[in-house]
Amino acid sequence: MKVVITGGIGSGKSYVCGLLHERGIEVYDCDAGAKRLMRSSAELQRQLSELVGADVYQDGILQKRVLAKYILASEENAQQVDNVVHPAVARDFEASGYDWVETAILFESGFDKRIRYDKIVCVTAPFETRVERIMHRDGISREKSIEWINRQMPQDEVSRRCDYVIVNDGRADIDAQLDKILPEMGF
């Protein structure tokens, strides 16, 4: 069984994946995979440099702020970066041997069409909780946090497309939610 964990930025997907890890379920992290590939793949570096500009890498090191500025400049720019990075990440996941994958932008990136999966689990959290988590985690402003949230598909739309929803609002018992859905999926 191949399972996708998705949910918007700041929903707490990584926290849920940590709980799955404690239960012996390893999850491929698409963000970490993308970062690793952008650091290590000469082909990806060449493609991103051609797309974004030579300053996206300095001495072989990805300049995250340059990439983020390019992505946030327009939807077209974001799509172009996705079209370079996501196929590489999908190939890496498929070759990884993992049965679980975590990705924030499953549908809007077209990643759902790039990989094989059986079930989708969506992690949700209230808007303000997400904003605060992003601000704290990334050390960015409220406005920038909201901008990142607004670049993604609305949480309600994502959860409607999923087989299961885990509420990660800081109060709901996530372990109890996992205890319910994992046996339903055969884990």
Side-chain angles (χ1 to χ4, degrees):
M1 163 110 30
K2 297 280 187 184
V3 181
V4 177
I5 302 280
T6 194
I9 185 171
S11 63
K13 294 176 303 301
S14 296
Y15 178 76
V16 171
C17 289
L19 294 175
L20 289 167
H21 175 78
E22 290 174 8
R23 293 168 181 248
I25 297 172
E26 296 300 322
V27 181
Y28 180 96
D29 180 338
C30 282
D31 285 345
K35 289 173 187 168
R36 177 178 44 77
L37 291 168
M38 285 189 284
R39 277 193 317 269
S40 64
S41 168
E43 177 61 17
L44 213 48
Q45 289 179 14
R46 182 190 62 74
Q47 290 176 317
L48 287 172
S49 294
E50 287 176 3
L51 181 64
V52 178
D55 59 339
V56 75
Y57 284 94
Q58 291 179 359
D59 300 320
I61 298 170
L62 178 66
Q63 302 302 302
K64 294 177 195 169
R65 291 191 191 278
V66 173
L67 183 61
K69 182 178 179 184
Y70 181 84
I71 289 169
L72 291 173
S74 74
E75 189 57 42
E76 181 182 341
N77 286 4
Q79 189 62 51
Q80 290 173 335
V81 170
D82 287 350
N83 289 340
V84 169
V85 176
H86 292 155
V89 173
R91 287 189 302 273
D92 194 58
F93 165 65
E94 293 290 351
S96 72
Y98 285 81
D99 292 325
W100 289 67
V101 60
E102 171 193 352
T103 178
I105 52 174
L106 176 67
F107 302 111
E108 54 267 66
S109 71
F111 204 70
D112 61 318
K113 293 170 181 57
R114 298 184 195 278
I115 63 168
R116 231 178 8 89
Y117 63 87
D118 300 297
K119 297 289 181 185
I120 306 172
V121 178
C122 180
V123 180
T124 66
F127 182 82
E128 285 302 323
T129 302
R130 294 172 63 197
V131 169
E132 300 225 355
R133 286 175 181 164
I134 299 164
M135 288 171 54
H136 178 74
R137 180 192 71 198
D138 296 346
I140 60 176
S141 69
R142 174 179 176 75
E143 293 74 25
K144 189 60 76 176
S145 298
I146 292 170
E147 189 176 348
W148 279 109
I149 289 172
N150 288 338
R151 292 201 63 84
Q152 296 181 344
M153 184 180 287
Q155 182 171 255
D156 291 347
E157 175 64 23
V158 174
S159 62
R160 274 194 298 275
R161 296 181 181 198
C162 296
D163 300 293
Y164 301 97
V165 174
I166 293 177
V167 177
N168 185 12
D169 60 5
R171 294 183 305 275
D173 185 337
I174 296 171
D175 279 312
Q177 294 174 74
L178 289 172
D179 288 342
K180 180 180 185 309
I181 67 172
L182 289 174
E184 290 179 21
M185 290 191 288
F187 292 95

